[in-house]
Amino acid sequence: MAMAPDDGTLDAETAAAALLWWTATGVGFTLNERPTDHFAAPAPSIEGRPDRPLAVPAAPPALVRPPLARLEPPALAGASAPTAAAELAASAQDLSSLRAALERFEGCALKRTATQLVFSDGVPGSRVMFVGEGPGGDEDRIGRPFVGRAGQLLDRMLSAIGLDRSRVYIANVVPWRPPGNRTPTPEETQACLPFIKRQIDLADPEILVCLGALSAQTLLGVKSGITRARGSWFSYQREDERPIRALAMLHPAYLLRQPSQKRAAWADMRALAAALAGAPRPQ
Ligand code: URA
């Protein structure tokens, strides 16, 4: 392995490895052009007394620079993010306009740290729509949902019941990658909610499958944990008030960490297959 030279600079290989590590752990911004070695700064005095306040060393100039402009809250022209989202989403009459509306939407901070919008995969109008939590690193890079390891497992689960991406539609509750693959915050989720609801209406599935806790909580109002809710059928109320059937399932990423749960997921896939084998909806 290459070593860092003594002068504190990094050789290209070490710098590239450090960048990969930082992005994987969620470091999305640089605040200063040069690093600050806080260990090298003089330690604050610990002799604080009421008559003699703690000595705090002056901050190095780099620390008092204002944060980069892109950390500031987005301009929403006076509307709150969910209100702006609801108006934009409702105005979209088809999926390509909805995608364009999301590209214009500035009300979710995730957009500013993600590489690109991850809108959908599969075929709108399919009988089943899967909704996950949010894109991960691979999805953020490629621009399609469920293309990483969890997505490959989802593909194997689909194929086990004779499906593939040409026969389902796939999206996420939030369409931008949360930094470091963290769970989206309630604010981020609420800001994106009108879009995924509109996407469900426009994709028009017969059955909605919510993958993982965040999707089941957000779209189906599930309050219990996903391990309890999985395998249960719900009624999902579309925005136009038409109810459709919805199934809560374990997230494939969870199955990768807990392979012993694959048996439960297999039972849920069979339940989905059985529901699809029932009479299709009238056209
Ligand atoms: N996990 C998700 O919830 N969605 C993706 O697209 C990928 C991983």
Side-chain angles (χ1 to χ4, degrees):
M1 193 183 101
M3 300 295 291
D6 283 348
D7 64 0
T9 60
L10 298 181
D11 64 80
E13 191 189 338
T14 313
L19 269 178
L20 269 179
W21 165 249
W22 286 326
T23 45
T25 53
V27 178
F29 296 107
T30 52
L31 291 178
N32 302 311
E33 279 166 21
R34 302 191 62 77
T36 304
D37 184 354
H38 294 282
F39 291 105
S45 162
I46 54 168
E47 298 171 56
R49 291 191 333 225
D51 59 334
R52 192 167 141 205
L54 281 178
V56 178
L63 285 181
V64 295
R65 282 162 45 136
L68 298 181
R70 64 191 187 130
L71 286 178
E72 283 162 14
L76 281 173
S80 76
T83 309
E87 283 167 11
L88 266 176
S91 69
Q93 296 308 309
D94 55 39
L95 287 164
S96 61
S97 333
L98 186 68
R99 183 190 188 113
L102 269 167
E103 299 279 14
R104 288 199 309 279
F105 181 55
E106 297 298 336
C108 178
L110 295 176
K111 182 177 187 179
R112 284 170 289 145
T113 49
T115 308
Q116 59 183 316
L117 174 73
V118 177
F119 186 65
S120 70
D121 200 12
V123 179
S126 296
R127 293 182 67 198
V128 194
M129 175 169 176
F130 289 84
V131 180
E133 177 175 310
D138 292 318
E139 290 76 19
D140 181 61
R141 193 166 42 80
I142 292 168
R144 283 194 299 133
F146 284 101
V147 291
R149 281 184 68 225
Q152 287 155 20
L153 177 56
L154 178 61
D155 285 339
R156 293 198 293 279
M157 291 160 67
L158 291 176
S159 123
I161 58 165
L163 294 177
D164 60 32
R165 290 185 190 228
S166 68
R167 299 184 63 194
V168 301
Y169 185 66
I170 305 176
N172 281 304
V173 172
V174 301
W176 293 285
R177 179 198 185 198
N181 299 343
R182 63 163 170 74
T183 305
T185 64
E187 290 73 27
E188 290 157 357
T189 305
Q190 286 307 310
C192 296
L193 186 56
F195 291 102
I196 184 62
K197 286 181 149 186
R198 186 78 183 134
Q199 196 169 358
I200 295 169
D201 280 12
L202 292 170
D204 194 23
E206 198 178 316
I207 296 177
L208 177 68
V209 179
C210 291
L211 295 171
L214 184 106
S215 177
Q217 285 159 3
T218 309
L219 296 173
L220 306 179
V222 165
K223 300 269 186 295
S224 62
I226 188 68
T227 44
R228 185 179 275 256
R230 62 133 281 270
S232 302
W233 286 93
F234 296 80
S235 175
Y236 172 79
Q237 198 74 20
R238 292 168 44 130
E239 292 292 275
D240 63 9
E241 315 241 308
R242 244 181 54 208
I244 56 171
R245 286 177 296 171
L247 178 63
M249 278 191 57
L250 297 172
H251 195 288
Y254 174 77
L255 298 174
L256 289 172
R257 295 192 302 272
Q258 303 285 339
S260 62
Q261 296 287 336
K262 284 186 183 168
R263 177 194 287 262
W266 172 232
D268 298 346
M269 287 308 280
R270 280 205 323 251
L272 175 62
L276 287 169
R281 68 181 156 193
Q283 292 302 311

